[in-house]
């Protein structure tokens, strides 16, 4: 069985169990130079960032390079907790319905908010013996509200929360 390092934001069911620490390691601030010309340009950049984040997790590379602030702190905390419990995440996640909700683009540091339907149906949490310990109650699809910060040179994911407004993807 091939085990990859998975991006941890998709596994919200576990995040409910663990609290986020008050301190995060220092992360570089997004460069504050050029802003986006339009909301559409910012939404396209945000979707590209999210695709990169998901792809990095699926191929086992460092997905934290796409994160900053609370999203980075959550990923690090959950990673440590899983490691301490000898658990690993396997399989590939994906998403659809990436919809830009809000963009603030005429400022030094742009903010973009999008809603994403994340599909984790092909992922599992396994223990050190290879047994599947994925909670049966975990949903296969999650509607997320994701906040990105940065500028035209790049956006980073700063927050990702379950969106309970309409409850489904």
């Amino acid at each position: 069985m091939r085990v990859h390092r998975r991006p941890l934001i998709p596994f919200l069911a576990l995040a409910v169990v663990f609290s986020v620490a008050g301190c995060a390691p220092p992360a570089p601030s997004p460069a504050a130079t050029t802003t986006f010309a339009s909301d559409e340009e910012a939404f396209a950049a945000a979707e590209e960032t999210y695709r990169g984040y998901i792809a990095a997790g699926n191929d086992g590379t460092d997905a934290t390079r796409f994160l900053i602030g609370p999203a980075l702190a959550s990923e690090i905390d959950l990673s440590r907790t899983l490691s301490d419990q000898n658990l690993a995440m396997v399989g590939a996640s994906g998403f659809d319905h990436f919809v830009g909700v809000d963009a603030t683009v005429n400022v030094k540091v742009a903010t973009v908010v999008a809603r994403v339907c994340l599909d984790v149906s092909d992922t599992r949490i396994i223990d050190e013996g290879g047994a599947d310990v994925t909670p049966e109650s975990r949903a296969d699809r999650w509607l997320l509200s994701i906040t990105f910060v940065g500028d035209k040179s790049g956006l980073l994911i700063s927050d990702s929360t379950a969106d309970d407004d309409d409850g489904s993807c």
Side-chain angles (χ1 to χ4, degrees):
M1 174 185 311
R2 190 169 177 189
V3 177
H4 288 289
R5 171 94 176 98
R6 307 287 316 127
L8 301 177
I9 289 175
F11 300 93
L12 298 173
L14 283 176
V16 171
V17 178
F18 310 109
S19 62
V20 175
C23 299
S29 297
T33 54
T34 307
T35 59
F36 294 97
S38 67
D39 289 0
E40 292 74 24
E41 185 179 296
F43 294 146
E47 184 171 357
E48 181 179 332
T49 296
Y50 199 69
R51 283 190 190 287
Y53 168 72
I54 294 294
N58 287 343
D59 68 18
T61 59
D62 182 17
T64 62
R65 71 181 187 266
F66 294 95
L67 306 175
I68 192 170
L72 178 61
S74 286
E75 183 107 0
I76 290 168
D77 289 344
L78 189 51
S79 179
R80 284 183 186 145
T81 300
L82 291 173
S83 178
D84 290 348
Q85 295 181 11
N86 297 313
L87 299 173
M89 297 186 192
V90 298
S93 57
F95 72 96
D96 56 27
H97 300 99
F98 188 101
V99 177
V101 174
D102 187 41
T104 305
V105 297
N106 293 321
V107 294
K108 286 185 178 183
V109 178
T111 302
V112 178
V113 177
R115 293 177 78 185
V116 175
C117 189
L118 181 70
D119 183 347
V120 295
S121 61
D122 291 334
T123 64
R124 293 289 171 253
I125 301 166
I126 59 168
D127 66 16
E128 62 188 323
D132 185 346
V133 295
T134 308
E136 288 185 31
S137 61
R138 184 194 75 178
D140 286 341
R141 294 173 62 82
W142 291 86
L143 183 60
L144 302 178
S145 177
I146 302 175
T147 303
F148 301 82
V149 296
D151 64 20
K152 193 172 186 169
S153 65
L155 292 173
L156 296 172
I157 300 165
S158 66
D159 198 17
S160 178
T161 57
D163 191 338
D164 294 326
D165 287 346
D166 68 19
S168 64
C169 291

